[in-house]
Amino acid sequence: MFKRTVKTLTLVAALGSAWAGTAAHAADSIKLGYAKCAHCSAVALVPAQAENGVQIEGVNFNTGNDVLTALVSKNLDVAQVTYLHFVTALDKGFDVVAIAGQINGGSRLLISSALPVQADDWAGLKKTIADFKAQGKPFRVGASRGNAQDLHMRGTFAKHGIDVNKDLQFVNIPNPADHLQALRRNEVEMISAVDPFAAQIVLSDAAKLFSFPYDQAAGKLSNLIVTRSDVLKAKPAGVLEAVRGVIKVNAALGKNQTLFVDTIQKATGLPPAVAQGSVSNLYPDHHMYRPATKAIAQMMYDLKYLRTDVTPKIDKAMDYSFLEKVTGQPKAAMGY
């Protein structure tokens, strides 16, 4: 009788322990937000990678701004945003903490196919701009103001001695999907476009590649994974699984280009050939580049996209501990 009672109590204790574990995992369940874009689409694969009983729910939004809004209003636990969103959030005083990189690249500087300027011929571009000015015509360059491609374009022009505000006429085209039609309607001579729309423009012969605008302080940085400090305290296991999932997905994309193309095509609805054309300019990357993030913040402040200089806040707002746990590498090896 005594043995049966002990056995029963042991079983109850074991079940209690299991239930406690389940409750802990439920508490660590994560809502992961991401936007509808080629860069962002791979995040949709992360929930299936969760381990150790943690559940991750993927939530898709139309834009990165929507994702950031949901995170700071506590409707999400973890979010994929751009480096620019991260810096902008710090400028606004929001509680955001970067925990991993996600993907970089995706920018192209394209020039009208009708202009006789060859790729990376900056002297030829400057001469063409001067010819337009001599004829009393503005040389118009389009971009979506405030996005990564806008920043990349402004930075690389400055590096080559071209002032966007004095030498060119900037045309703001808010929706990147409209860049192709702007070129076809002859509304701009050049455009800083994001893939896969950039690949679509080249494939349709509306413009040709002039340069990849990565020769500036921000390099080719694009996306980060971020959370809030209260989530870090309340759901550390969930945050860890989210970071582990991003790293696993990135590794899979690096080995399987077909998976990468299919994921982009499903997210954008663009033809497979366009998705295929954009993959060579996208770089899955879980590293977080702290010095370059400060350079981005400085560029945005200099361009008056920010109200304050947030570079002093960036050290505290980038937490490498989850990357270190998942990879077993020190933060010095991951962009710190």
Side-chain angles (χ1 to χ4, degrees), residues 63-77:
T63 69
N65 287 333
D66 296 336
V67 179
L68 181 61
T69 299
L71 178 72
V72 299
S73 60
K74 301 190 176 182
N75 288 311
L76 289 175
D77 302 304

Side-chain angles (χ1 to χ4, degrees), residues 221-256:
L221 297 188
S222 181
N223 284 5
L224 279 170
I225 303 297
V226 301
T227 185
R228 303 185 310 273
S229 57
D230 63 298
V231 178
L232 291 176
K233 293 177 181 176
K235 301 183 176 185
V239 173
L240 183 67
E241 287 308 312
V243 172
R244 192 196 312 279
V246 169
I247 292 174
K248 289 173 67 177
V249 168
N250 281 1
L253 296 178
K255 296 175 182 175
N256 187 345

Side-chain angles (χ1 to χ4, degrees), residues 72-105:
V72 299
S73 60
K74 301 190 176 182
N75 288 311
L76 289 175
D77 302 304
V78 176
Q80 163 270 313
V81 298
T82 68
Y83 276 82
L84 276 69
H85 282 112
F86 171 62
V87 170
T88 301
L90 293 177
D91 180 49
K92 293 181 177 179
F94 294 143
D95 174 16
V96 291
V97 182
I99 51 176
Q102 188 246 329
I103 199 165
N104 294 318

Side-chain angles (χ1 to χ4, degrees), residues 287-298:
H287 295 68
M288 293 193 295
Y289 298 94
R290 186 179 61 94
T293 306
K294 290 184 175 182
I296 290 173
Q298 188 63 55

